[in-house]
Amino acid sequence: MHPTRSSTPDLPAGTVLSPEVADALSTGRPVVALESTLLAHGLPRPENRAAADDVEAAVRAGGAVPATIAVLDGVPHVGLTADEVDRVCADPDLAKLGVRDLPVAAALGLSGATTVSSTALLAAAAGVGVFATGGLGGVHRESVDTFDESADLTALSRTSLVVVCAGVKSILDVPATLERLESLSVTVVGYRTTTFPGFYVADSGSTLDWSVADATEAARVFAARRELAPGAVVVANPLPLDEQLDPALHDRVIAGALAAADDAGVRGKDVTPFVLDHLHRASEGATLAVNVRLVLRNAELAGQIAAALAEVAR
C-alpha cells in the first residue's frame, strides 16, 4: 500500500498519511498520535528503535492505531513506515521541530522530529483526537530571569485533543507550569488521582482539582471540552509507586544534571536533551528504564481513551 496524500483542509498541503492511519481515520477507528522527538532526542541510540516498536505496540494493546508523526524532507508524515522510523531513530542530526519551525522545514525541504506542540498541531489537523507522550514541556526553573517557557503550553491552549502524559519533565518548575496551564484554560485531570505526577516519580508535590476514574470518563471530559471551546485535556497518568525512580536518587541526579547544564552554558531547547543524557549516565540507566516504562503506560492508556472516544462519538 502506498502513503496517502491528505486533502484535509487544516493539514499542510502534501501531508502524508500512512495507509493504516488513513484507513482508520476514514472509517472512524481510534488513532493515537505519537511524537518523534522522544525517539530522536529523548532516548539514546540504539535503544530508541526498540522503544519505537514497543510504544506503537502499547497503543495497539489499548485498542487504537498508532500514528507516529515527523517531518521528512519538508513533508509532514502522520504515521510512519518501519523504514521511516529507522530513519528518525538513526539520524543524529535530525532537527527538533516545534510549531514555529514547521514552516522553515516545509519551505526548505528539511527533516525533523516533532515536539509536543507540533505533534499536537498536526495530529489535531488530521482529525486525531488523542496523543500520548512522556512528559510535557513547561515553565523552566529561573524563568523569572530567563523567560524560558515551553511552546507546548500555548499550543495546548489552542489545540483540541487529549494528551496523556506523566506530568511535566522533572527539570521544570511544576507549580509554575500548572499555574500557566490554568491561566491558559487547559483542562488538567489526574488519572485515578488528584496528585500531579512528577514524571520519573509518582508525586510532584502538587495537587489537582479533578480526576477521572477510567478511559471512558476521560473521553467524556474531552467530548464536553470540545463542545465548549478549543483547547486540550491533559490526562496526568502517574507511575505506580513500585515502578517509579527512587525519589532520593531522583532528587540527586536532577540537581546534578541542572548544575551540569548551567556549568556548560546550555540554554533553551538544548537543555532537555542535555539533561536527559546526563540523567541516563548519572543514574546508570535507571532514568531511561523509567522513561520507557512511563511512555508505554501512557501509550496504552491513550489507546483506551481513543477507543472510548470513538464509542462516545457514535
Side-chain angles (χ1 to χ4, degrees), residues 40-199:
H41 305 109
L43 299 174
R45 298 172 181 84
E47 290 95 334
N48 60 346
R49 184 60 185 87
D53 288 339
D54 290 344
V55 174
E56 292 202 350
V59 170
R60 295 186 194 279
V65 171
T68 302
I69 295 177
V71 177
L72 301 175
D73 304 316
V75 177
H77 285 62
V78 180
L80 300 180
T81 66
D83 287 345
E84 289 164 347
V85 174
D86 287 345
R87 178 177 172 185
V88 167
C89 290
D91 185 355
D93 299 319
L94 201 66
K96 184 176 181 180
L97 304 177
V99 170
R100 67 168 191 171
D101 309 303
L102 290 177
V104 179
L108 303 182
L110 305 177
S111 299
T114 52
T115 65
V116 167
S117 66
S118 52
T119 302
L121 176 76
L122 293 170
V128 178
V130 183
F131 169 28
T133 186
L136 299 179
V139 179
H140 283 248
R141 304 183 193 199
E142 302 178 354
S143 63
V144 171
D145 299 318
T146 64
F147 293 92
D148 195 350
E149 179 180 311
S150 172
D152 294 355
L153 303 183
T154 51
L156 295 181
S157 73
R158 302 167 181 162
T159 310
S160 294
L161 79 172
V162 178
V163 183
V164 182
C165 64
V168 301
K169 295 181 177 68
S170 300
I171 61 174
L172 302 175
D173 185 329
V174 175
T177 300
L178 287 172
E179 288 291 344
R180 285 292 290 140
L181 286 167
E182 180 182 355
S183 298
L184 293 166
S185 297
V186 175
T187 300
V188 183
V189 298
Y191 185 68
R192 299 176 175 170
T193 183
T194 53
T195 296
F196 190 67
F199 194 62

Side-chain angles (χ1 to χ4, degrees), residues 282-295:
S283 68
E284 298 181 342
T287 56
L288 172 63
V290 174
N291 197 350
V292 172
R293 192 154 60 236
L294 66 85
V295 171

